[in-house]
Amino acid sequence: MTRLDIGSLEAICAIADHGGITRAASHLALSQSAISHKVKRLEDGLGYGILDRRAGGSKFTPEGEQLLTYGRRILAIHEEALSNLARKPLKGRIRLGMTEDMANNGLPEILGRFKRHYPDIAVTTTTAQSLHIEQQLDRREIDIGVMDIFEHQKRPSDAQLRHTPLHWVKAPDYPLDLAKPVPFLAFAPDCFYHHWAMQSGLPDGCRLETILTCASSNAIISAVSAQLGIALVGEHCLTNNIAIITDIFPQPPSVATIIRTSRNAHNAAVRALKDSITSTFSTRRASALPTA
């Protein structure tokens, strides 16, 4: 049995979080060979493979997934110890933008824990639509953004927190009449779901008419359930009161919830918050995986 060194655990977590050795190397500012060496050293010491190198499968073997879960816990404790014991605690001010959905799905709890670990870092948080957050990042008005984008639009430097299939939905008994404008419920006029729906290849003669815009996913689901119209929602929003529409409208692309930093936000405080959010969501994904 080998010792589990922090650098090697950081390497496998970065591979999981960023989608492979190349992006992990970029994130950790190391060469690809250095990342591969860390993984090989762990595999040799533990006596089993960690990465599944077959194309198309999971990036990790079952043993590697188990090690990844332990690694995240070890790194979280290591980060907490460093922040509490360091002689020079991190200081600074961070401007964070996040979507309403993330504000209702655990991010405030992460921020509360971060504040306890780093009491000298002030985090100012605002909620907005994803497109607004992306624009604020480009204008350097915020330092970190937690937002949704279509998965194929991810940048190499983005850290993915969640993968979400997107579905057309309606109330189970809602009659669809494609000969008339189909009432469409949107999160906002500038929501990227709305943009895609209006520009997608709809069936011949079919036209969507936006009759409601609302930033709240709960309100959209309630409106769909009340038979006001159809909508595009993420799989995590599905309830027993709505039905997925199949074989009528074009298949929507999957959505990625990502964390992105502004081009000028490279200080230690920003990195600490990004790592805290990323590691927490990665631990949740790992704990949700089925066990043999």
Side-chain angles (χ1 to χ4, degrees):
M1 174 63 71
T2 188
R3 292 180 181 272
L4 299 176
D5 69 277
I6 295 298
S8 295
L9 294 178
E10 286 178 335
I12 65 169
C13 289
I15 291 170
D17 294 339
H18 298 277
I21 290 177
T22 301
R23 291 181 177 178
S26 176
H27 173 72
L28 296 175
L30 296 172
S31 66
Q32 294 183 42
S33 61
I35 297 293
S36 298
H37 176 72
K38 289 177 182 292
V39 174
K40 184 65 165 57
R41 185 170 58 189
L42 272 178
E43 290 178 327
D44 290 344
L46 292 170
Y48 54 73
I50 294 172
L51 295 183
D52 188 342
R53 294 170 173 83
R54 294 174 297 178
S58 169
K59 292 182 177 63
F60 291 86
T61 64
E63 295 84 0
E65 291 284 3
Q66 186 178 28
L67 175 63
L68 185 63
T69 300
Y70 281 117
R72 296 196 187 284
R73 290 164 59 185
I74 292 170
L75 290 177
I77 294 173
H78 181 259
E79 177 188 346
E80 180 179 345
L82 286 179
S83 65
N84 289 331
L85 299 176
R87 293 183 179 180
K88 294 182 179 180
L90 290 179
K91 298 181 180 180
R93 183 174 296 277
I94 301 173
R95 300 163 300 171
L96 169 69
M98 65 179 173
T99 61
E100 182 260 355
D101 179 62
M102 294 306 296
N104 293 324
N105 283 281
L107 196 49
E109 289 80 4
I110 297 173
L111 295 176
R113 185 167 61 251
F114 182 81
K115 182 63 177 178
R116 293 191 293 274
H117 290 172
Y118 300 99
D120 295 322
I121 299 177
V123 181
T124 303
T125 307
T126 58
T127 60
Q129 291 288 321
S130 292
L131 284 178
H132 287 176
I133 295 173
E134 188 171 17
Q135 291 164 2
Q136 289 174 320
L137 285 167
D138 289 340
R139 293 194 298 261
R140 305 184 185 183
E141 296 172 354
I142 59 175
D143 304 303
I144 299 180
V146 182
M147 59 188 182
D148 293 331
I149 59 173
F150 287 134
E151 205 156 29
H152 65 270
Q153 296 174 332
K154 286 189 303 180
R155 299 176 183 176
S157 58
D158 293 338
Q160 182 165 330
L161 304 178
R162 184 175 66 187
H163 161 86
T164 305
L166 198 61
H167 299 288
W168 296 95
V169 297
K170 68 180 187 69
D173 298 328
Y174 182 73
L176 274 177
D177 185 357
L178 301 186
K180 299 178 181 179
V182 179
F184 183 71
L185 315 174
F187 287 98
D190 55 356
C191 171
F192 69 100
Y193 290 13
H194 183 263
H195 286 183
W196 182 87
M198 293 302 172
Q199 296 170 3
S200 63
L202 297 173
D204 290 342
C206 177
R207 181 170 68 87
L208 300 181
E209 180 181 7
T210 304
I211 65 164
L212 180 146
T213 58
C214 178
S216 168
S217 57
N218 289 334
I220 292 292
I221 294 301
S222 296
V224 171
S225 301
Q227 300 192 11
L228 290 183
I230 70 171
L232 277 171
V233 300
E235 191 164 275
H236 62 284
C237 294
L238 297 180
T239 70
N240 294 330
N241 297 324
I242 61 177
I244 297 175
I245 304 171
T246 59
D247 302 328
I248 297 179
F249 300 108
Q251 177 67 39
S254 292
V255 171
T257 302
I258 58 113
I259 180 168
R260 179 179 295 174
T261 55
S262 173
R263 290 190 297 273
N264 65 334
H266 300 297
N267 60 68
V270 168
R271 288 196 298 271
L273 179 55
K274 180 180 179 181
D275 290 344
S276 181
I277 296 172
T278 303
S279 63
T280 301
F281 273 86
S282 298
T283 301
R284 290 177 182 175
R285 284 204 309 268
S287 63
L289 290 172
T291 56

